Amino acid sequence: MRGMISPSLMCADMLNLRSEIEKLDRLGVDYVHLDFMDGKFVPNITLDASLIKSVKSVLKNMKRDIHIMAYEPQNYFDRMDVGLGDIVAVHYEACEDVSKVLKEIASRGAKPFLAISPDTKADVINGYLDIISGVLVMTVYPGFAGQPIVDGSFEKIAEVRKIIDESKKDIILEVDGHVSWDLCKKMRENGADLFVAGSSSVYSKDVKLEEAVNRMMKLIN
Ligand code: DX5
Ligand code: ZN
């Protein structure tokens, strides 16, 4: 699978979101990463559900990559208008019955991704390989942009890659958290396919978005 990027909208210029989204779409980026938080599963709040829904009306080719850091994420699917083409990642740690939630995502025509926080072992994904379209490996503790990478993240990516390859299923491996210029190549070498680009790369200061996107695409392909 070729390397793909998913720039994280919570790191973009919040006062100009429409033009930020349109710019990404024009650049041919595959996904826009939309972080939703409930202030409970993680101690922060970012983009709200109605904003995530509105993003849909602006997109031409790009798809939504919705990362829900909230307990019982299914409560927000209607408000976000989850449907065809979306990636929807829900946390293993945040659901009473994660299989049921993943199946509901699939029944809406969206791609169910299982997100795992740094303290969750890679092998928990074994129970869900028949349902999921992707695994989202968090390489920082979820909740805030601009954090350092958690120790052991490369090993974790490699472990998830091995499980996916052995399953022979078409499952995307996404990485989120401190995906920097320096580290994205090593993440790629360890098996990541989809890279959430935030404050340590595409949205770092004094870089033009077009150059930043091209630079990252070169590093991972
Ligand atoms: C963190 C979010 C990330 C965040 C990544 O909880 O899920 O999407 O935007 O940003 P950086 O690249 O700054 O770690
Ligand atoms: Zn995220």
Side-chain angles (χ1 to χ4, degrees):
M1 196 181 300
R2 74 186 162 89
M4 297 173 286
I5 65 170
S6 185
S8 180
L9 205 65
M10 72 179 262
C11 302
D13 178 1
M14 288 288 171
L15 297 177
N16 287 300
L17 285 186
R18 174 186 282 269
S19 66
E20 293 279 333
I21 298 163
E22 286 171 345
K23 250 192 274 176
L24 291 173
D25 211 334
R26 276 200 302 274
L27 290 173
V29 164
D30 293 273
Y31 291 99
V32 58
H33 189 79
L34 302 164
D35 287 304
F36 178 84
M37 307 178 185
D38 64 357
K40 296 187 187 91
F41 176 64
V42 291
N44 195 10
I45 303 269
T46 43
L47 313 172
D48 94 317
S50 61
L51 176 78
I52 291 175
K53 178 178 176 176
S54 308
V55 167
K56 231 177 170 171
S57 62
V58 187
L59 301 183
K60 292 204 170 74
N61 300 307
M62 197 164 62
K63 302 276 186 253
R64 297 189 302 177
D65 168 26
I66 306 171
H67 176 198
I68 307 183
M69 286 158 274
Y71 289 113
E72 302 311 333
Q74 67 279 9
N75 295 337
Y76 307 99
F77 292 170
D78 282 338
R79 273 182 267 167
M80 293 174 180
D81 196 17
V82 163
L84 203 64
D86 295 324
I87 284 177
V88 181
V90 295
H91 272 264
Y92 172 80
E93 308 85 12
C95 305
E96 178 93 31
D97 184 349
V98 77
S99 294
K100 197 170 162 202
V101 179
L102 293 165
K103 282 177 192 157
E104 185 178 338
I105 296 167
S107 76
R108 288 169 173 258
K111 297 183 180 73
F113 275 41
L114 184 61
I116 51 172
S117 290
D119 293 339
T120 301
K121 291 212 161 71
D123 64 9
V124 303
I125 69 167
N126 274 312
Y128 308 95
L129 297 170
D130 289 336
I131 320 171
I132 54 177
S133 301
V135 178
L136 192 168
V137 176
M138 288 301 303
T139 45
V140 299
Y141 287 95
F144 296 92
Q147 303 178 76
I149 189 165
V150 170
D151 282 350
S153 291
F154 296 111
E155 294 79 358
K156 177 102 163 267
I157 296 166
E159 236 183 296
V160 170
R161 179 81 260 161
K162 188 162 179 266
I163 296 171
I164 292 173
D165 287 349
E166 284 173 5
S167 77
K168 301 211 167 16
K169 292 189 190 295
D170 204 8
I171 293 172
I172 298 169
L173 199 170
E174 179 173 18
V175 280
D176 183 8
H178 200 98
V179 180
S180 66
W181 304 121
D182 293 342
L183 300 184
C184 65
K185 223 176 157 164
K186 195 165 171 202
M187 288 172 168
R188 179 65 173 163
E189 284 158 12
N190 280 276
D193 305 304
L194 176 58
F195 298 76
V196 178
S199 64
S200 51
S201 60
V202 164
Y203 290 115
S204 43
K205 279 207 175 88
D206 306 325
V207 201
K208 274 188 115 185
L209 192 63
E210 181 170 7
E211 284 162 26
V213 164
N214 291 337
R215 182 173 170 192
M216 185 140 224
M217 287 303 284
K218 276 195 197 119
L219 285 165
I220 57 168
N221 280 295

